[in-house]
Amino acid sequence: MENEDSAAGGASAAADAAPEAPRHDPETHAPPARPPRWYYPALGVVTGGVVAAPAMPSSGTRAIAVAGAVAGLVLLERAHRARAGTSLTRTAGSAGRAILAVAGTGVLALLGVSIAADITGNAGWAVLSGAGGFLLMALLGPLYERVRARGPRGGP
């Protein structure tokens, strides 16, 4: 019996001494780092390059374009992380995930159109799809930043 009381008392004392769970306080936490103005247009160029890649004349050129785009994505993220000290790849709650879902679905749809256009011999449509990929990132990126600045639960 005595051991049960001391064990329960020890657990209670440990619970009382435990620090309170951290809470989001806008006055004590810095707002999320914002990317430079050129970040989303540059991301749009990279995305447009990937989407338009099927219009390239040879498979080797396509592979080089996609590899260059992937390297560009890595460099963009690293440049921002070095400048701001934080990553842009964390989502901002359900609204942020919704924007990312729309952007991802849009890019995949445009890539599908681009591949279909290349197969049917309409390379111009593949290039136009690449322009759509650019616009998608250049327009949805700043919207995502506004949502991300409010915080994960749509706070201030």
Side-chain angles (χ1 to χ4, degrees):
M1 272 319 244
E2 190 173 319
N3 285 342
E4 290 176 13
D5 290 339
S6 65
S12 176
D16 291 341
E20 189 174 317
R23 296 177 193 213
H24 178 70
D25 182 8
E27 293 180 18
T28 60
H29 291 85
R34 293 177 95 40
R37 295 186 91 125
W38 53 264
Y39 183 84
Y40 285 107
L43 183 60
V45 168
V46 170
T47 303
V50 169
V51 170
M56 304 268 176
S58 71
S59 60
T61 308
R62 290 178 198 152
I64 290 170
V66 171
V70 169
L73 287 172
V74 170
L75 291 174
L76 279 173
E77 175 60 22
R78 285 192 177 187
H80 180 270
R81 186 178 298 187
R83 179 175 174 259
T86 63
S87 174
L88 289 172
T89 58
R90 294 199 173 114
T91 61
S94 58
R97 283 190 295 276
I99 292 169
L100 292 178
V102 167
T105 303
V107 167
L108 289 175
L110 288 168
L111 186 58
V113 168
S114 182
I115 291 169
D118 179 55
I119 290 170
T120 60
N122 296 311
W125 283 101
V127 173
L128 192 58
S129 295
F134 166 79
L135 287 174
L136 196 63
M137 288 298 129
L139 296 176
L140 287 181
L143 175 64
Y144 175 73
E145 281 307 312
R146 284 194 296 274
V147 168
R148 198 169 74 88
R150 289 194 319 239
R153 295 196 175 124

